[in-house]
Amino acid sequence: KAGVTQTPRYLIKTRGQQVTLSCSPISGHRSVSWYQQTPGQGLQFLFEYFSETQRNKGNFPGRFSGRQFSNSRSEMNVSTLELGDSALYLCASSLHVVRGSYEQYFGPGTRLTVT
Amino acid sequence: DQQVKQNSPSLSVQEGRISILNCDYTNSMFDYFLWYKKYPAEGPTFLISISSIKDKNEDGRFTVFLNKSAKHLSLHIVPSQPGDSAVYFCAASGLGTSYGKLTFGQGTILTVHP
């Protein structure tokens, strides 16, 4: 079974631009979560989608948004990029959809650099 | 407010010996705990998990111990191999927490010397 895939793997953007990152979950997984990893803050939860609905959101500004499609694929968007948005963005999928999360399986991440 | 803490930024171990990675948590609502391994430029790889109804779970060379009263868990790797060198994260979730959210510690860099 194929793992979680993320595209693109690397991205360089300029301050003020916007970016869209894509995630395809493991086949059969309907819950998709997004995380931001930075050296200073570690792995921080962004949001979770299930059945095309955002069920949970972390403590990030409204510039960070996402969506999920009927095939469970997900995208996240960051508008008006800031230097501090430079990070590794990770997508994770899970078979479990009840509260408590349980095992999540991560993609390789998208390395975003904002200049 | 760091609810999951890994107080040792790094650990160095000789090949064949035991590696013990530690993790503490503060949120009493956490009832499911996971360990992930991460290589540079890759996403975290799930290793092993444990529910709060257990105090030990084994999978091959990996064993996780949970001490609920101390809010402490540890990952034992026996025997350690050079390929185990990576960053190890503990993570927590629970029925009382929100959907799809794992709370991670800051990670411990494990180096296994041949």
Side-chain angles (χ1 to χ4, degrees):
Chain A
K1 191 180 270 191
V4 177
T5 58
Q6 292 186 246
T7 56
R9 291 293 310 276
Y10 302 92
L11 207 48
I12 300 175
K13 289 286 188 178
T14 305
R15 266 185 306 176
Q17 288 186 314
Q18 74 166 14
V19 67
T20 299
L21 312 180
S22 181
C23 171
S24 292
I26 292 171
S27 177
H29 287 195
R30 296 165 63 195
S31 169
V32 174
S33 297
W34 288 88
Y35 294 83
Q36 180 196 65
Q37 185 184 24
T38 59
Q41 297 297 318
L43 276 151
Q44 301 283 312
F45 173 77
L46 280 157
F47 29 64
E48 187 260 6
Y49 285 87
F50 170 72
S51 195
E52 302 177 65
T53 300
Q54 184 185 90
R55 296 194 297 182
N56 193 12
K57 190 177 191 307
N59 189 25
F60 279 83
R63 300 184 297 106
F64 291 82
S65 63
R67 60 177 175 167
Q68 187 182 35
F69 302 94
S70 58
N71 62 358
S72 295
R73 191 177 69 84
S74 177
E75 289 181 349
M76 67 163 281
N77 183 278
V78 188
S79 63
T80 319
L81 284 165
E82 300 178 358
L83 294 178
D85 297 333
S86 294
L88 181 67
Y89 290 89
L90 292 158
C91 165
S93 73
S94 179
L95 192 57
H96 303 282
V97 295
V98 298
R99 287 185 191 273
S101 185
Y102 303 107
E103 288 85 7
Q104 292 182 354
Y105 295 89
F106 285 82
T110 295
R111 170 70 63 186
L112 172 65
T113 302
V114 182
T115 62
Chain B
D1 174 24
Q2 204 173 342
Q3 299 182 61
V4 178
K5 297 180 186 178
Q6 293 175 256
N7 292 317
S8 298
S10 62
L11 175 68
S12 183
V13 171
Q14 207 67 28
E15 181 179 7
R17 306 295 292 268
I18 185 171
S19 295
I20 300 176
L21 299 117
N22 294 302
C23 180
D24 297 294
Y25 62 97
T26 57
N27 190 337
S28 300
M29 300 301 287
F30 289 147
D31 61 8
Y32 202 80
F33 304 90
L34 309 92
W35 283 95
Y36 285 85
K37 176 171 77 171
K38 187 179 185 303
Y39 294 117
E42 293 184 14
T45 301
F46 169 72
L47 280 174
I48 191 169
S49 59
I50 187 167
S51 164
S52 61
I53 63 173
K54 293 184 167 184
D55 54 19
K56 177 182 173 182
N57 189 26
E58 281 182 88
D59 185 359
R61 296 187 298 115
F62 301 93
T63 303
V64 56
F65 295 92
L66 175 62
N67 183 333
K68 289 188 293 292
S69 60
K71 293 191 174 68
H72 177 83
L73 64 154
S74 61
L75 175 68
H76 292 209
I77 306 173
V78 184
S80 301
Q81 300 172 354
D84 296 329
S85 297
V87 181
Y88 288 77
F89 292 94
C90 68
S93 69
L95 289 175
T97 61
S98 315
Y99 290 109
K101 178 180 178 180
L102 292 178
T103 301
F104 284 86
Q106 292 295 95
T108 297
I109 301 170
L110 173 66
T111 304
V112 180
H113 299 282

